[in-house]
Amino acid sequence: TGEKSMRNKNLDAVKAVAACFVVFIHVGFPGETGQIIKVIARFAVPFFFMISGYFCYYAEKSRGVNCCDAKRYDVKHGDAKNTDEKKKKNITDKIILKICHILRLFLIAVLFYIIWEVLMTGIEEKSIFSRMQEAVESQHIKEFIRYNSTSQIRAHLWFLPALLYCYVLDYFIEKFHLRKLAYACIPVLLGILLWRAEICRMYGGFYHTMEYRNYLYTGMPFYLLGQMIHECQGKWRQEGKILPAGIVVGAVISIGEYHWQDAREIYVGTCVMLICLFVFIILSGGQRKSGTETEDNADRINRSEEADMGVATISRIYISGIWKKAEQILMKTGEKYAFVLYLCHPAVADCVKLLAAFLKVSDNMLYRWIRPLLVLGITVTFIFLVDFLRCRFCSSGEKCGIVISKPYRK
């Protein structure tokens, strides 16, 4: 119960929203509206780097060693230097566990999409051997090692090796006490990212997407920002409407940059919007209660209000209940299914595309508008169905559920 209450449920909800926006990046709506939705959605991938950094920051009180007790013990036994070594080892051990976890997820994702690509290549009646030979060319392997490029399998998988590299870098940052230096690199890395992704175009420059969409320029600055926010959150207070206004202003700036510069991977406004959004979630969400206690209290209040008040109030309570249900679905999706949604939606999009081609509706405008929602809906329904079946036939509740991502706790 204690662990449950430590979850920031607002972060879970925004994780679900961000995962949906990732779908809308890869399976876009048509026309100018679709482009503007993509512009807004550009916050999603940096958000996942930021949330990973946020939960990979270990404050002194949560490093697995009681500092005061350890120090008293070590002083008593003439070994005071051991305290810092114990803390450092405990933190690096936790980061190693995260590295192993992400590596396992990446291998699963790669295996899945190798099988999927073989299947799709067979359906399209192309040469499977030449497709696989192309994927393992030395140039593509170099691009993967250097830039995390996974375009020869599926482009969206680049996030996992990039996050893996971020954890490896964080391991050395923690091991050699380089956190202040790492924080000082944030504006430098962000500046290089924005220069390569957007600003250099104004001066006739050009960089390939993989030269800035990688662990160093897209991953590390937002990962470190997440850690910095975690470290500083106790010193901040929520200042009225400043942060929500910052979110709106960032979105408007991004749309303005799109109209000025055309479509880009990231915008200055994206950074403004993302930072304001993340800090707002942390400060406003805090440590929300979760579990049956809060829900039971709310139900008791609602029943008493229904007994004492009129139809208008009952309607308001009913609508509030529907909203809470939707909120709970978002939170559950963010907590348990965000990674699976990220992993599976391109495969679902392929199936929808094949079906549309078979029905000869690929160019139909109505189909093009509903396609992103169809892909999202089918993917989420499939994930919930698989999880339901696993829970139904699983003997242990702890073993069921597609909990691919580790639970995030403060």
Side-chain angles (χ1 to χ4, degrees):
T1 309
E3 283 188 346
K4 262 190 174 183
S5 65
M6 293 298 285
R7 293 191 64 89
N8 185 326
K9 291 294 185 178
N10 284 353
L11 277 175
D12 286 332
V14 179
K15 273 175 64 183
V17 172
C20 294
F21 272 120
V22 169
V23 176
F24 296 153
I25 290 173
H26 298 146
V27 189
F29 292 93
E32 193 71 7
T33 303
Q35 289 300 322
I36 290 173
I37 291 172
K38 281 187 180 181
V39 169
I40 302 299
R42 290 298 175 186
F43 85 92
V45 174
F47 173 82
F48 284 114
F49 281 113
M50 193 176 282
I51 200 172
S52 299
Y54 179 84
F55 286 106
C56 198
Y57 173 82
Y58 299 105
E60 201 168 273
K61 65 182 179 181
S62 62
R63 294 185 175 207
V65 176
N66 187 318
C67 304
C68 296
D69 290 348
K71 193 169 184 180
R72 280 197 295 269
Y73 177 86
D74 289 332
V75 168
K76 182 178 177 182
H77 291 79
D79 197 9
K81 289 183 180 179
N82 272 350
T83 303
D84 289 338
E85 291 301 319
K86 287 177 183 177
K87 288 189 290 182
K88 183 170 70 174
K89 187 177 186 304
N90 188 265
I91 298 164
T92 52
D93 286 347
K94 288 180 180 179
I95 296 173
I96 288 172
L97 288 175
K98 288 181 178 289
I99 291 170
C100 294
H101 176 66
I102 295 299
L103 181 60
R104 185 171 69 251
L105 295 186
F106 179 60
L107 293 176
I108 291 170
V110 167
L111 179 61
F112 173 81
Y113 273 104
I114 286 174
I115 296 170
W116 186 258
E117 284 299 306
V118 169
L119 180 63
M120 294 303 294
T121 303
I123 291 173
E124 294 171 0
E125 298 181 351
K126 295 179 181 177
S127 171
I128 295 173
F129 176 75
S130 60
R131 178 73 181 86
M132 292 297 104
Q133 191 176 32
E134 182 185 351
V136 295
E137 285 179 2
S138 60
Q139 181 62 29
H140 295 143
I141 293 172
K142 288 176 185 176
E143 289 172 354
F144 167 73
I145 294 170
R146 187 176 178 186
Y147 298 119
N148 316 122
S149 174
T150 56
S151 57
Q152 292 306 308
I153 302 173
R154 277 301 167 103
H156 76 295
L157 297 179
W158 76 273
F159 173 80
L160 287 173
L163 182 58
L164 184 67
Y165 279 31
C166 288
Y167 282 138
V168 171
L169 286 175
D170 192 31
Y171 173 87
F172 290 107
I173 288 169
E174 193 63 53
K175 187 175 182 66
F176 296 107
H177 305 287
L178 300 172
R179 188 150 307 281
K180 288 184 179 179
L181 177 61
Y183 287 165
C185 291
I186 293 174
V188 177
L189 295 174
L190 274 179
I192 295 172
L193 169 64
L194 292 170
W195 170 261
R196 292 189 171 194
E198 180 184 18
I199 300 171
C200 74
R201 304 288 181 96
M202 293 186 283
Y203 302 97
F206 173 79
Y207 288 89
H208 289 286
T209 302
M210 65 181 174
E211 292 182 278
Y212 52 83
R213 193 184 68 181
N214 53 55
Y215 76 98
L216 187 58
Y217 300 126
T218 299
M220 216 50 204
F222 292 105
Y223 180 92
L224 291 170
L225 269 172
Q227 292 192 324
M228 182 184 285
I229 289 170
H230 197 151
E231 184 174 328
C232 299
Q233 66 184 16
K235 304 171 186 176
W236 296 338
R237 281 191 235 169
Q238 187 181 343
E239 298 293 339
K241 299 179 180 178
I242 292 177
L243 291 173
I247 297 168
V248 174
V249 168
V252 171
I253 291 172
S254 298
I255 294 169
E257 289 175 272
Y258 160 69
H259 284 296
W260 183 33
Q261 287 280 329
D262 207 355
R264 297 286 180 264
E265 283 284 321
I266 195 166
Y267 305 90
V268 174
T270 305
C271 300
V272 175
M273 180 177 119
L274 175 59
I275 292 168
C276 291
L277 174 65
F278 199 90
V279 175
F280 177 73
I281 296 166
I282 298 302
L283 296 185
S284 64
Q287 294 179 358
R288 282 182 58 164
K289 272 189 174 183
S290 63
T292 56
E293 182 185 347
T294 306
E295 293 168 11
D296 290 344
N297 288 340
D299 288 341
R300 281 197 294 271
I301 292 168
N302 287 349
R303 283 196 295 270
S304 64
E305 286 183 355
E306 285 180 17
D308 297 338
M309 302 189 184
V311 176
T313 305
I314 292 173
S315 301
R316 177 177 57 80
I317 293 169
Y318 181 71
I319 292 169
S320 175
I322 293 174
W323 173 254
K324 284 178 182 176
K325 282 289 182 186
E327 194 179 28
Q328 286 169 8
I329 290 170
L330 272 180
M331 289 171 180
K332 184 178 180 181
T333 302
E335 178 185 350
K336 297 180 69 178
Y337 310 125
F339 173 77
V340 192
L341 179 56
Y342 152 82
L343 173 66
C344 294
H345 76 269
V348 174
D350 287 344
C351 295
V352 171
K353 185 178 178 181
L354 288 172
L355 180 62
F358 177 76
L359 297 174
K360 299 180 180 179
V361 295
S362 300
D363 296 326
N364 183 281
M365 187 54 68
L366 178 61
Y367 161 74
R368 291 176 64 194
W369 273 103
I370 66 172
R371 183 178 172 235
L373 298 175
L374 196 61
V375 170
L376 177 61
I378 292 172
T379 308
V380 171
T381 303
F382 173 75
I383 292 168
F384 272 79
L385 179 62
V386 170
D387 191 38
F388 171 78
L389 293 174
R390 290 188 67 186
C391 289
R392 183 69 183 266
F393 297 105
C394 188
S395 58
S396 169
E398 290 182 0
K399 293 181 182 178
C400 66
I402 313 173
V403 189
I404 301 291
S405 56
K406 292 279 188 183
Y408 291 133
R409 293 183 177 85
K410 288 188 178 182

